[in-house]
Amino acid sequence: MSAAAIQRTSTARHVLFILRGNPVTAIASLGTALLVLIAIFAPFLTPYDPIASDVAHALAPPDAAHWAGTDQLGRDIFSRIVAAARLDLFIAVTAVGLSFVVGAVVGGFCGYRGGRLDRWVGRFVDVLMAFPLFVLAMALVAALGNRMENIIIATAVINLPFYIRFARAEVNVRRNAGWVEAARACGDSHLSVVLRFLLPNVLPAMAVQISLNLGWAILNAAGLSFIGLGVQAPTPEWGIMVAEGARFITTGKWWLVAFPGLALMLTVLFFNLLGDGLRDILDPRMRT
Amino acid sequence: MTDLLRVEDLRVSFSTRHGMVAALHGIGFALKAGETLGIVGESGSGKSVTSLAVMRLLDRAGRIASGRIVFQGRDITRAKHGDLRSLRGAAMSMIFQNPRSALNPIRTVEQQIVDVLRAHKPITLSAARAQALELLRAVLIRNPEQRLHAYPAELSGGMCQRVMIAMAMACEPALLIADEPTTGLDVTTQKAVMDLLAGITAQRGMAMILITHDLGLAARYCGEIAVMERGLMVEQGPTATLFQAPKHPYTQRLIAASPTRRSTLADLAQGEPVAPASVIQRPPGTGPLLDLRHVLKVFTGDVRAVDDVSFSLPPGGSLGLVGESGSGKSTLSRLICRLIDLDGGDIIFQGESISAIPANDFHRSPRRRDVQIVFQDPHDSLNPRFTAFDCIAHPLRRLEKMRDGAALTTRVHEAASRAGLPMDLLERYPHQLSGGQKARVGIARAIAPRPRLLVLDEPTAALDVSIQAVILQLLDRLRKEDDLAMLFVSHDLNVVRMLCDDLVVLQHGKVVEAGPSAAVFENPQSGYTRSLLDAIPHFDPHATAPLLQVAEG
């Protein structure tokens, strides 16, 4: 067996070990994996066209034909939830990915170099954090235009301060570590010390932040749609579905709100539970 | 006279992820009032667990499985925590390894001593304050009136340890346990603190247990010595007999591995091949490999960390850079490795000035691979996300632009085998290696790009003596095999003397003495060097003079 193959099996065994010792993480990982699969194969999983209306069957309660019932236009809610998973996950993952990459690099350099760069970026982050973040996201979407890429940008921007601060603090405590000096003696520039040494070491701690933020980003995107600033109807999106369904809750048509709300809640819950396990999996020091 | 403290067949175990692990396998000793017992052993031998068990300070995971601890005629093995609290501090107290972390950073020295006094005695605040001042005088702190109002952060390490001693003896305990009380301190400070401790305990008739890894220290300050290995007391006896005629093989090994005034590298030999495989003959008459000319480094606040330092090192030579903390020796080693920029002077390497290249760009210089460094803490100097293989391969990938493949693997294996690192450990991460193995990875990494000069920044300071002995021999062998010049930065003169031809003594960034090691050692010219030499605690198996002079004084 080659060295690389040994490495792979030991990684797989390590992941299994973590999951076995931590059933909550195992459930969260399974749930997340299921969500991702649903998002990828959404077009093949929807029994009905998610935007085709069928007024004859409007507001039908859940039954064998429509598992989650239909909405006011007779659209199948189950199909819409499945289709929306793809959009919501896409928004959350790209937004969080964007703020993670930018935040880790900016924060990493601030923490490593310190000095004027650190002070200026630090004050900028303070200003950003002084805004009520949801209002900031609303303002950004309103100013940039009501399109999906702008929702992603707005969500990324309001997440950014946390990543900058986190990466800065984590890199700062490690910048005088012996292995940082050792890397420089081995011919690494400051740039490669930050990118190839410090940031990978900070990653396990940031994984927790990422998974918590994914849940939060989904809520945020749904929230923007809920108040009409996000994805526009008739595109299926959990936030819009909750917003539209809310009108019918008083007349006892609970399924319009309950099922998209449940999907939203479960997704956020899975991501939140994933965090600690993800850190253990990513940290080689946990492999004993 | 009855025993003050008697420990009988004490067994302690800890519950861990892998079940119960026994830390002490039935140890026993006794101590009378006024006696000093030294417990020596290497890391993991159970010496700290012993002291914590006696103080009943074991954390939740640890418990006393069996045995008895009798203190002042009272069985305290199962005593309740309320009863123990009145005992601790008043009848027995403890001094910890790191004085700075044992003191509360947000309370003044006076407040902390007063706290101890008032916790155990019905005493008025003003009386307690007066006594705090007396205590500071007793531990020989200069300007005690002013120091009373100082916070721990405003005191030096030695000063903090004096305050700890003052607190420990505030209630005149019958027993004082000192767990590595001087490990983080300079040798001269260590001597001052230990002399003080020995004087105070002798004067007040207190018994002391000194826990240390340093045989010299135990020999100098203790009447009895107990040697611990893996949770067992393997040998116990009066200091003189134990050192002159050690019976247990572990004691013999430990004594052999501890550097003394007279020992040579060969004396420390235990298993490692001492003779170099082949010695490279150098044509004579070449210029110096490294030449420092009036090197200056100034830190913010006009602190001259390195002030007008000049010396030179021939190819294949070895030079010891000795000094206490704050002497600028670590700054100097980083200047030579071109990790930081100098503020004046010149560093000439192989006839070529390397100080003109900014430290930020030095990684691109062809000289980068010629100057390599081994760091003090082997654990801290390895990237936690790299396997041992990647650590050693790193300089080859960066400096020689080698790609993964057979050539790289060969070079890594070659460096690892020369550093004495078994091949099957190469896939491990640093946290899966022992201290000695990590030190070998650090050395293998430094020699992998085949440098001309190796800077060693206290490479053995964090290691046990037996591992230190092996690493020192390894370094000596590498130097002779490769014609590799070594700059050995250390506070330990005994170690430097064995390894280095020449010696430079630094104080406050200035060179106070330089010359061949043997000459400096035999006949030190400066008062500072002499005080450094005097401060090293020694044991001498062949000495006939009593070893306990200081403790009596």
Side-chain angles (χ1 to χ4, degrees):
Chain A
M1 209 162 26
S2 74
I6 292 170
Q7 192 65 45
R8 267 197 304 279
T9 52
S10 81
T11 303
R13 200 179 306 150
H14 170 68
V15 171
L16 279 179
F17 172 79
I18 296 278
L19 294 185
R20 201 177 309 142
N22 196 343
V24 173
T25 307
I27 293 169
S29 312
L30 269 179
T32 313
L34 199 67
L35 270 171
V36 171
L37 286 178
I38 289 174
I40 292 172
F41 298 107
F44 307 103
L45 296 173
T46 48
Y48 299 88
D49 183 346
I51 50 173
S53 49
D54 176 9
V55 189
H57 292 102
L59 293 172
D63 57 22
H66 300 281
W67 297 343
T70 59
D71 66 5
Q72 73 279 14
L73 295 173
R75 295 174 296 197
D76 180 46
I77 291 181
F78 177 75
S79 300
R80 287 177 64 77
I81 289 174
V82 169
R86 182 179 237 189
L87 183 69
D88 277 290
L89 281 188
F90 176 76
I91 293 177
V93 168
T94 32
V96 170
L98 202 64
S99 45
F100 164 66
V101 170
V102 175
V105 171
V106 171
F109 276 98
C110 289
Y112 184 67
R113 294 314 295 258
R116 200 182 300 161
L117 171 79
D118 187 28
R119 280 200 297 278
W120 279 101
V121 172
R123 293 304 78 79
F124 173 71
V125 166
D126 288 344
V127 170
L128 217 50
M129 286 180 111
F131 282 100
L133 292 178
F134 191 73
V135 177
L136 182 65
M138 279 166 56
L140 280 169
V141 176
L144 294 173
N146 208 342
R147 286 195 311 276
M148 195 176 70
E149 55 266 35
N150 294 335
I151 298 170
I152 292 172
I153 290 173
T155 311
V157 167
I158 62 171
N159 277 327
L160 194 59
F162 300 100
Y163 286 97
I164 293 181
R165 281 218 169 155
F166 199 87
R168 184 200 169 276
E170 292 285 317
V171 165
N172 199 37
V173 296
R174 289 175 175 83
R175 70 169 174 182
N176 290 323
W179 45 266
V180 168
E181 278 191 309
R184 291 195 55 218
C186 291
D188 279 281
S189 61
H190 289 302
L191 184 75
S192 97
V193 165
V194 174
L195 295 183
R196 299 167 56 149
F197 279 75
L198 286 165
L199 289 182
N201 269 287
V202 170
L203 189 66
M206 289 190 89
V208 182
Q209 179 87 358
I210 290 175
S211 99
L212 288 177
N213 264 7
L214 276 174
W216 196 54
I218 287 185
L219 281 180
N220 190 67
L224 283 173
S225 306
F226 184 87
I227 59 167
L229 266 174
V231 181
Q232 295 299 305
T235 317
E237 200 280 336
W238 293 336
I240 307 174
M241 292 170 73
V242 173
E244 291 182 342
R247 287 189 283 143
F248 298 92
I249 213 167
T250 45
T251 53
K253 312 271 190 306
W254 53 272
W255 57 90
L256 272 78
V257 176
F259 290 108
L262 191 67
L264 195 57
M265 190 210 87
L266 278 178
T267 309
V268 175
L269 184 67
F270 285 149
F271 280 130
N272 287 356
L273 294 179
L274 194 64
D276 288 339
L278 205 59
R279 181 198 55 208
D280 293 352
I281 288 169
L282 286 174
D283 193 342
R285 275 172 300 182
M286 305 297 284
R287 293 183 195 185
T288 33
Chain B
M1 197 163 80
T2 57
D3 295 329
L4 173 73
L5 173 72
R6 201 169 66 246
V7 173
E8 294 166 3
D9 191 39
L10 184 66
R11 286 165 198 274
V12 169
S13 42
F14 284 85
S15 61
T16 67
R17 200 163 148 170
H18 309 290
M20 293 297 276
V21 174
L24 295 180
H25 304 275
I27 59 158
F29 60 90
L31 197 64
K32 290 186 172 52
E35 282 185 345
T36 48
L37 170 73
I39 301 183
V40 298
E42 297 187 298
S43 49
S45 62
K47 36 188 210 305
S48 286
V49 174
T50 306
S51 68
L52 291 175
V54 169
M55 289 286 286
R56 293 287 315 280
L57 282 172
L58 289 170
D59 63 32
R60 266 167 195 283
R63 58 180 207 94
I64 296 175
S66 69
R68 254 159 51 98
I69 304 168
V70 182
F71 181 70
Q72 291 176 328
R74 229 175 101 194
D75 189 341
I76 58 162
T77 327
R78 307 263 176 256
K80 289 196 186 67
H81 277 275
D83 301 337
L84 287 170
R85 202 154 28 193
S86 63
L87 220 57
R88 285 187 208 131
M92 55 164 99
S93 60
M94 191 156 177
I95 299 174
F96 295 94
Q97 177 165 354
N98 187 345
R100 220 179 272 287
S101 65
L103 289 171
N104 185 345
I106 58 159
R107 287 177 74 73
T108 63
V109 167
E110 182 182 49
Q111 285 169 333
Q112 298 193 47
I113 300 180
V114 166
D115 286 348
V116 176
L117 286 168
R118 308 238 304 166
H120 295 287
K121 281 192 217 166
I123 183 175
T124 63
L125 187 62
S126 58
R129 281 191 177 148
Q131 210 177 330
L133 183 62
E134 280 310 305
L135 283 164
L136 284 199
R137 286 214 178 93
V139 295
L140 309 177
I141 283 184
R142 257 172 287 163
N143 302 330
E145 291 86 354
Q146 285 154 37
R147 300 287 184 216
L148 272 179
H149 305 292
Y151 289 92
E154 298 167 331
L155 303 174
S156 68
M159 208 77 94
C160 283
Q161 196 56 291
R162 283 169 200 263
V163 172
M164 276 302 295
I165 295 172
M167 284 169 65
M169 46 176 251
C171 296
E172 313 237 334
L175 172 67
L176 189 67
I177 300 179
D179 188 355
E180 304 268 8
T182 56
T183 298
L185 306 177
D186 282 326
V187 274
T188 50
T189 319
Q190 162 171 294
K191 183 176 189 303
V193 168
M194 283 311 299
D195 284 352
L196 172 75
L197 208 49
I200 283 172
T201 47
Q203 188 188 327
R204 308 195 176 200
M206 288 155 66
M208 176 164 73
I209 297 179
L210 174 68
I211 291 167
T212 178
H213 66 283
D214 186 338
L215 288 187
L217 200 68
R220 188 142 153 184
Y221 295 102
C222 298
E224 290 261 333
I225 304 251
V227 182
M228 288 194 73
E229 184 197 18
R230 281 185 244 135
L232 280 172
M233 276 193 177
V234 294
E235 190 163 357
Q236 226 172 310
T239 305
T241 20
L242 190 111
F243 279 102
Q244 273 159 26
K247 289 190 195 72
H248 194 274
Y250 179 72
T251 316
Q252 291 164 357
R253 257 204 326 276
L254 209 56
I255 289 176
S258 300
T260 63
R261 217 168 256 217
R262 270 186 275 282
S263 55
T264 62
L265 277 178
D267 290 341
L268 312 183
Q270 297 281 330
E272 189 88 355
V274 183
S278 59
V279 178
I280 294 176
Q281 291 302 317
R282 180 170 3 98
T286 47
L289 178 79
L290 177 76
D291 198 6
L292 265 67
R293 293 177 188 165
H294 310 289
V295 170
L296 179 73
K297 177 73 192 176
V298 186
F299 284 125
T300 41
D302 206 29
V303 181
R304 287 174 176 244
V306 174
D307 191 358
D308 193 23
V309 170
S310 305
F311 60 79
S312 70
L313 177 64
S318 59
L319 184 109
L321 215 52
V322 180
E324 295 189 294
S325 51
S327 64
K329 56 188 196 305
S330 285
T331 308
L332 193 53
S333 68
R334 276 154 186 76
L335 283 171
I336 293 167
C337 289
R338 301 296 295 111
L339 293 173
I340 50 176
D341 283 316
L342 39 165
D343 294 317
D346 208 353
I347 298 176
I348 315 282
F349 187 81
Q350 288 184 325
E352 188 187 316
S353 170
I354 57 167
S355 48
I357 314 162
N360 282 347
D361 296 329
F362 196 71
H363 65 275
R364 276 191 287 259
S365 159
R367 292 279 164 246
R368 176 71 277 169
R369 58 173 287 202
D370 290 333
V371 186
Q372 285 296 312
I373 181 165
V374 177
F375 292 93
Q376 173 168 9
D377 184 344
H379 178 71
D380 180 58
S381 68
L382 302 179
N383 184 351
R385 297 188 72 84
F386 273 12
T387 60
F389 183 93
D390 286 326
C391 283
I392 302 170
H394 186 66
L396 299 172
R397 287 178 177 142
R398 303 297 297 172
L399 295 168
E400 302 195 17
K401 310 281 174 239
M402 289 179 82
R403 294 305 178 103
D404 285 359
L408 181 75
T409 311
T410 314
R411 285 285 295 277
V412 170
H413 284 191
E414 180 201 305
S417 82
R418 295 196 56 216
L421 186 74
M423 295 303 140
D424 53 326
L425 298 182
L426 284 176
E427 291 309 317
R428 293 205 187 171
Y429 286 95
H431 72 277
Q432 297 165 322
L433 299 169
S434 71
Q437 289 163 345
K438 277 182 274 201
R440 287 177 197 269
V441 175
I443 292 169
R445 170 177 64 190
I447 60 170
R450 295 174 182 149
R452 301 308 330 133
L453 171 66
L454 200 56
V455 176
L456 300 139
D457 185 6
E458 306 243 19
T460 59
L463 301 176
D464 280 328
V465 278
S466 59
I467 300 163
Q468 163 175 286
V470 175
I471 297 292
L472 291 178
Q473 280 156 11
L474 167 71
L475 290 172
D476 194 50
R477 184 165 54 86
L478 288 175
R479 176 166 85 88
K480 288 173 180 148
E481 281 176 10
D482 262 11
D483 197 31
L484 177 64
M486 281 188 184
L487 188 73
F488 197 94
V489 179
S490 179
H491 67 280
D492 191 336
L493 276 163
N494 275 330
V495 168
V496 170
R497 179 186 54 83
M498 287 188 290
L499 207 64
C500 302
D501 306 332
D502 294 293
L503 203 65
V504 170
V505 183
L506 286 175
Q507 187 189 17
H508 305 316
K510 286 194 169 75
V511 176
V512 291
E513 185 155 2
S517 322
V520 174
F521 220 79
E522 290 308 317
N523 187 18
Q525 297 302 308
S526 92
Y528 179 67
T529 315
R530 223 168 296 135
S531 71
L532 274 185
L533 281 170
D534 287 342
I536 305 172
H538 290 285
F539 65 88
D540 198 334
H542 309 293
T544 45
L547 291 147
L548 260 168
Q549 280 165 338
V550 190
E552 253 92 71

